[in-house]
Short mmCIF file of all heavy atoms in Angstrom, two decimals:
data_model
loop_
_atom_site.label_atom_id
_atom_site.label_comp_id
_atom_site.label_asym_id
_atom_site.label_seq_id
_atom_site.Cartn_x
_atom_site.Cartn_y
_atom_site.Cartn_z
N SER J 1 99.02 100.34 104.16
CA SER J 1 100.45 100.28 104.43
C SER J 1 101.16 99.81 103.16
O SER J 1 100.53 99.28 102.25
CB SER J 1 100.75 99.34 105.60
OG SER J 1 100.32 98.02 105.31
N ARG J 2 102.47 100.01 103.13
CA ARG J 2 103.22 99.57 101.97
C ARG J 2 104.57 99.04 102.39
O ARG J 2 105.13 99.45 103.41
CB ARG J 2 103.36 100.69 100.94
CG ARG J 2 104.15 101.90 101.40
CD ARG J 2 104.06 103.04 100.40
NE ARG J 2 104.78 102.76 99.16
CZ ARG J 2 104.78 103.57 98.11
NH1 ARG J 2 104.06 104.68 98.12
NH2 ARG J 2 105.47 103.26 97.02
N ASP J 3 105.08 98.13 101.60
CA ASP J 3 106.40 97.57 101.79
C ASP J 3 107.18 97.87 100.51
O ASP J 3 106.99 97.19 99.50
CB ASP J 3 106.31 96.05 102.05
CG ASP J 3 107.66 95.44 102.37
OD1 ASP J 3 108.69 95.94 101.86
OD2 ASP J 3 107.69 94.46 103.11
N ASN J 4 107.97 98.92 100.56
CA ASN J 4 108.67 99.36 99.35
C ASN J 4 109.63 98.30 98.83
O ASN J 4 109.79 98.13 97.62
CB ASN J 4 109.41 100.67 99.60
CG ASN J 4 108.46 101.83 99.80
OD1 ASN J 4 107.35 101.86 99.25
ND2 ASN J 4 108.87 102.80 100.61
N ALA J 5 110.27 97.59 99.73
CA ALA J 5 111.23 96.56 99.32
C ALA J 5 110.54 95.44 98.55
O ALA J 5 111.09 94.91 97.57
CB ALA J 5 111.97 96.02 100.53
N LYS J 6 109.34 95.07 99.00
CA LYS J 6 108.61 93.99 98.36
C LYS J 6 107.68 94.51 97.26
O LYS J 6 107.03 93.72 96.57
CB LYS J 6 107.78 93.22 99.39
CG LYS J 6 108.62 92.48 100.41
CD LYS J 6 107.74 91.68 101.36
CE LYS J 6 108.59 90.91 102.36
NZ LYS J 6 107.75 90.15 103.32
N LYS J 7 107.61 95.84 97.11
CA LYS J 7 106.76 96.45 96.09
C LYS J 7 105.31 96.03 96.29
O LYS J 7 104.62 95.62 95.35
CB LYS J 7 107.25 96.10 94.69
CG LYS J 7 108.69 96.52 94.43
CD LYS J 7 109.19 96.05 93.09
CE LYS J 7 110.66 96.38 92.90
NZ LYS J 7 111.18 95.91 91.59
N MET J 8 104.87 96.12 97.55
CA MET J 8 103.53 95.71 97.91
C MET J 8 102.82 96.85 98.63
O MET J 8 103.44 97.67 99.32
CB MET J 8 103.56 94.51 98.86
CG MET J 8 104.21 93.26 98.30
SD MET J 8 103.16 92.39 97.14
CE MET J 8 101.81 91.87 98.22
N VAL J 9 101.49 96.89 98.49
CA VAL J 9 100.66 97.76 99.29
C VAL J 9 99.51 96.93 99.84
O VAL J 9 99.03 96.01 99.17
CB VAL J 9 100.15 98.98 98.47
CG1 VAL J 9 99.22 98.54 97.35
CG2 VAL J 9 99.48 99.99 99.38
N TYR J 10 99.12 97.23 101.06
CA TYR J 10 98.12 96.44 101.76
C TYR J 10 96.97 97.33 102.23
O TYR J 10 97.15 98.52 102.46
CB TYR J 10 98.74 95.74 102.96
CG TYR J 10 99.97 94.94 102.64
CD1 TYR J 10 101.24 95.48 102.84
CD2 TYR J 10 99.87 93.64 102.14
CE1 TYR J 10 102.38 94.76 102.55
CE2 TYR J 10 101.01 92.91 101.85
CZ TYR J 10 102.25 93.46 102.05
OH TYR J 10 103.38 92.74 101.76
N LEU J 11 95.81 96.71 102.41
CA LEU J 11 94.68 97.40 103.02
C LEU J 11 94.08 96.45 104.06
O LEU J 11 93.48 95.44 103.70
CB LEU J 11 93.63 97.80 101.98
CG LEU J 11 92.48 98.63 102.53
CD1 LEU J 11 92.98 100.02 102.96
CD2 LEU J 11 91.36 98.77 101.50
N GLN J 12 94.30 96.77 105.31
CA GLN J 12 93.70 96.03 106.41
C GLN J 12 92.33 96.62 106.68
O GLN J 12 92.22 97.81 107.00
CB GLN J 12 94.57 96.09 107.66
CG GLN J 12 93.99 95.36 108.86
CD GLN J 12 93.91 93.87 108.65
OE1 GLN J 12 94.85 93.25 108.14
NE2 GLN J 12 92.78 93.27 109.04
N MET J 13 91.31 95.80 106.57
CA MET J 13 89.94 96.27 106.74
C MET J 13 89.31 95.56 107.93
O MET J 13 89.17 94.34 107.93
CB MET J 13 89.12 95.98 105.48
CG MET J 13 89.73 96.57 104.21
SD MET J 13 88.69 96.35 102.75
CE MET J 13 88.76 94.57 102.57
N ASN J 14 88.97 96.33 108.95
CA ASN J 14 88.35 95.79 110.16
C ASN J 14 86.94 96.36 110.32
O ASN J 14 86.59 97.35 109.68
CB ASN J 14 89.19 96.16 111.38
CG ASN J 14 90.58 95.59 111.33
OD1 ASN J 14 90.81 94.51 110.80
ND2 ASN J 14 91.54 96.31 111.90
N SER J 15 86.17 95.72 111.16
CA SER J 15 84.79 96.17 111.43
C SER J 15 84.04 96.41 110.13
O SER J 15 83.39 97.46 109.95
CB SER J 15 84.83 97.45 112.28
OG SER J 15 85.52 97.24 113.49
N LEU J 16 84.11 95.46 109.25
CA LEU J 16 83.50 95.63 107.93
C LEU J 16 81.99 95.72 108.03
O LEU J 16 81.35 95.07 108.88
CB LEU J 16 83.91 94.48 107.02
CG LEU J 16 85.32 94.61 106.45
CD1 LEU J 16 85.85 93.28 105.95
CD2 LEU J 16 85.34 95.64 105.33
N LYS J 17 81.43 96.54 107.14
CA LYS J 17 80.00 96.77 107.09
C LYS J 17 79.46 96.35 105.71
O LYS J 17 80.22 96.34 104.73
CB LYS J 17 79.71 98.26 107.30
CG LYS J 17 80.29 98.84 108.57
CD LYS J 17 80.05 100.35 108.63
CE LYS J 17 80.63 100.96 109.89
NZ LYS J 17 80.41 102.43 109.95
N PRO J 18 78.18 96.05 105.62
CA PRO J 18 77.61 95.70 104.31
C PRO J 18 77.87 96.77 103.25
O PRO J 18 78.05 96.44 102.07
CB PRO J 18 76.12 95.55 104.62
CG PRO J 18 76.08 95.11 106.05
CD PRO J 18 77.20 95.87 106.71
N GLU J 19 77.90 98.02 103.65
CA GLU J 19 78.14 99.10 102.69
C GLU J 19 79.58 99.15 102.19
O GLU J 19 79.89 99.93 101.29
CB GLU J 19 77.74 100.46 103.28
CG GLU J 19 78.32 100.76 104.64
CD GLU J 19 77.36 100.44 105.77
OE1 GLU J 19 76.71 99.36 105.72
OE2 GLU J 19 77.27 101.26 106.71
N ASP J 20 80.45 98.33 102.74
CA ASP J 20 81.82 98.21 102.22
C ASP J 20 81.88 97.26 101.03
O ASP J 20 82.93 97.14 100.40
CB ASP J 20 82.77 97.71 103.31
CG ASP J 20 82.93 98.71 104.45
OD1 ASP J 20 83.05 99.92 104.17
OD2 ASP J 20 82.95 98.27 105.62
N THR J 21 80.78 96.59 100.75
CA THR J 21 80.75 95.66 99.62
C THR J 21 81.01 96.39 98.31
O THR J 21 80.34 97.38 98.00
CB THR J 21 79.38 94.96 99.55
OG1 THR J 21 79.21 94.15 100.72
CG2 THR J 21 79.28 94.09 98.31
N ALA J 22 82.01 95.91 97.57
CA ALA J 22 82.41 96.57 96.33
C ALA J 22 83.54 95.78 95.69
O ALA J 22 84.10 94.87 96.31
CB ALA J 22 82.87 98.00 96.59
N VAL J 23 83.87 96.15 94.48
CA VAL J 23 85.12 95.69 93.88
C VAL J 23 86.20 96.69 94.27
O VAL J 23 86.04 97.89 94.07
CB VAL J 23 85.02 95.59 92.35
CG1 VAL J 23 86.35 95.17 91.75
CG2 VAL J 23 83.92 94.62 91.95
N TYR J 24 87.27 96.18 94.83
CA TYR J 24 88.37 97.02 95.30
C TYR J 24 89.51 96.96 94.29
O TYR J 24 89.94 95.88 93.89
CB TYR J 24 88.84 96.56 96.67
CG TYR J 24 87.90 96.99 97.78
CD1 TYR J 24 86.65 96.40 97.90
CD2 TYR J 24 88.27 97.98 98.68
CE1 TYR J 24 85.77 96.81 98.90
CE2 TYR J 24 87.40 98.39 99.68
CZ TYR J 24 86.16 97.80 99.78
OH TYR J 24 85.29 98.21 100.78
N TYR J 25 89.98 98.15 93.91
CA TYR J 25 91.04 98.26 92.91
C TYR J 25 92.29 98.87 93.52
O TYR J 25 92.22 99.88 94.24
CB TYR J 25 90.59 99.15 91.76
CG TYR J 25 89.42 98.62 90.98
CD1 TYR J 25 88.12 98.95 91.32
CD2 TYR J 25 89.62 97.79 89.88
CE1 TYR J 25 87.04 98.47 90.61
CE2 TYR J 25 88.55 97.31 89.14
CZ TYR J 25 87.26 97.65 89.51
OH TYR J 25 86.20 97.17 88.79
N CYS J 26 93.41 98.30 93.19
CA CYS J 26 94.69 98.88 93.54
C CYS J 26 95.07 99.91 92.48
O CYS J 26 94.81 99.70 91.28
CB CYS J 26 95.75 97.79 93.61
SG CYS J 26 97.40 98.35 94.07
N ASN J 27 95.68 100.98 92.91
CA ASN J 27 96.04 102.07 92.01
C ASN J 27 97.43 102.58 92.36
O ASN J 27 97.84 102.55 93.52
CB ASN J 27 95.03 103.21 92.15
CG ASN J 27 95.50 104.52 91.50
OD1 ASN J 27 96.18 105.32 92.15
ND2 ASN J 27 95.15 104.71 90.25
N CYS J 28 98.14 103.03 91.35
CA CYS J 28 99.39 103.73 91.63
C CYS J 28 99.59 104.86 90.62
O CYS J 28 98.98 104.86 89.55
CB CYS J 28 100.60 102.79 91.62
SG CYS J 28 101.19 102.33 89.98
N ILE J 29 100.39 105.83 91.02
CA ILE J 29 100.75 106.93 90.15
C ILE J 29 102.25 106.83 89.88
O ILE J 29 103.05 106.83 90.82
CB ILE J 29 100.43 108.30 90.78
CG1 ILE J 29 98.94 108.40 91.10
CG2 ILE J 29 100.84 109.43 89.84
CD1 ILE J 29 98.55 109.64 91.88
N SER J 30 102.58 106.74 88.61
CA SER J 30 103.98 106.61 88.22
C SER J 30 104.20 107.41 86.95
O SER J 30 103.48 107.23 85.96
CB SER J 30 104.32 105.14 87.98
OG SER J 30 105.65 105.00 87.50
N SER J 31 105.19 108.27 86.99
CA SER J 31 105.51 109.12 85.84
C SER J 31 104.25 109.84 85.32
O SER J 31 103.98 109.87 84.12
CB SER J 31 106.13 108.28 84.71
OG SER J 31 107.32 107.67 85.15
N TRP J 32 103.47 110.37 86.27
CA TRP J 32 102.27 111.16 86.00
C TRP J 32 101.14 110.35 85.36
O TRP J 32 100.18 110.92 84.83
CB TRP J 32 102.60 112.37 85.11
CG TRP J 32 103.60 113.26 85.76
CD1 TRP J 32 103.37 114.16 86.75
CD2 TRP J 32 105.01 113.30 85.49
NE1 TRP J 32 104.56 114.78 87.09
CE2 TRP J 32 105.57 114.27 86.35
CE3 TRP J 32 105.84 112.63 84.59
CZ2 TRP J 32 106.92 114.58 86.35
CZ3 TRP J 32 107.17 112.95 84.59
CH2 TRP J 32 107.71 113.91 85.47
N ARG J 33 101.23 109.04 85.41
CA ARG J 33 100.17 108.19 84.88
C ARG J 33 99.56 107.36 85.99
O ARG J 33 100.25 106.99 86.95
CB ARG J 33 100.72 107.26 83.79
CG ARG J 33 101.10 107.93 82.50
CD ARG J 33 101.52 106.89 81.48
NE ARG J 33 100.43 105.94 81.20
CZ ARG J 33 100.57 104.90 80.38
NH1 ARG J 33 101.72 104.67 79.79
NH2 ARG J 33 99.56 104.11 80.16
N HIS J 34 98.27 107.08 85.86
CA HIS J 34 97.57 106.20 86.79
C HIS J 34 97.56 104.78 86.22
O HIS J 34 97.29 104.58 85.03
CB HIS J 34 96.13 106.66 87.01
CG HIS J 34 95.99 107.81 87.95
ND1 HIS J 34 95.70 107.63 89.28
CD2 HIS J 34 96.11 109.14 87.77
CE1 HIS J 34 95.63 108.81 89.88
NE2 HIS J 34 95.88 109.74 88.98
N TYR J 35 97.81 103.83 87.07
CA TYR J 35 97.72 102.42 86.72
C TYR J 35 96.74 101.74 87.66
O TYR J 35 96.64 102.10 88.84
CB TYR J 35 99.10 101.74 86.81
CG TYR J 35 100.09 102.26 85.81
CD1 TYR J 35 100.91 103.34 86.11
CD2 TYR J 35 100.21 101.67 84.55
CE1 TYR J 35 101.83 103.83 85.20
CE2 TYR J 35 101.13 102.15 83.62
CZ TYR J 35 101.93 103.23 83.95
OH TYR J 35 102.83 103.70 83.03
N TRP J 36 96.05 100.73 87.12
CA TRP J 36 95.01 100.04 87.89
C TRP J 36 95.20 98.53 87.83
O TRP J 36 95.62 97.99 86.80
CB TRP J 36 93.64 100.37 87.33
CG TRP J 36 93.29 101.82 87.43
CD1 TRP J 36 93.52 102.79 86.49
CD2 TRP J 36 92.66 102.49 88.54
NE1 TRP J 36 93.07 104.00 86.93
CE2 TRP J 36 92.55 103.85 88.19
CE3 TRP J 36 92.19 102.06 89.78
CZ2 TRP J 36 91.97 104.79 89.05
CZ3 TRP J 36 91.62 103.00 90.62
CH2 TRP J 36 91.52 104.35 90.26
#
């Protein structure tokens, strides 16, 4: 989900499994460029 006014994006993760273990990165596309 995202809150455009607050310039935030969220990821609610439920029923997590061991295979979900990882480093999670936020990403956006702006002016045809990727940011991390």
Side-chain angles (χ1 to χ4, degrees):
S1 61
R2 64 189 290 176
D3 184 329
N4 291 329
K6 295 183 178 179
K7 303 175 184 179
M8 299 284 295
V9 65
Y10 307 97
L11 185 68
Q12 179 66 43
M13 305 185 293
N14 299 328
S15 302
L16 282 161
K17 304 175 181 180
E19 51 263 44
D20 294 318
T21 295
V23 177
Y24 283 70
Y25 297 91
C26 181
N27 166 272
C28 78
I29 301 173
S30 176
S31 300
W32 300 282
R33 290 185 60 183
H34 281 264
Y35 294 90
W36 298 91

